[in-house]
Amino acid sequence: LLIENNVGNLAVAQRKFDEALAAYSRVVDQATDASHLSLRARARSNRASLLIRMQRPAEALEELKQVLD
């Protein structure tokens, strides 16, 4: 899962934003047990940062709310 998160980071660096969102979403979907809670939160935070960069603040806010839940 950490590798998938890094795939998302690389996609952001390459300005492949849709690919990055997909990679971060895969991490969120797969990081379901307690040992992955921090990685799940990091992936959601990465999604939020990217959504802000993509001028999608309402979606970013929803991601950040999920981090806090």
Side-chain angles (χ1 to χ4, degrees), residues 4-44:
E4 191 69 37
N5 194 64
N6 290 337
V7 167
N9 293 340
L10 178 60
V12 169
Q14 295 173 335
R15 303 188 58 81
K16 297 178 181 177
F17 298 147
D18 290 332
E19 288 180 30
L21 286 175
Y24 295 143
S25 293
R26 287 190 294 272
V27 175
V28 169
D29 291 343
Q30 295 174 21
T32 56
D33 64 34
S35 66
H36 294 119
L37 289 180
S38 64
L39 183 56
R40 185 178 184 150
R42 186 180 325 157
R44 284 199 180 276

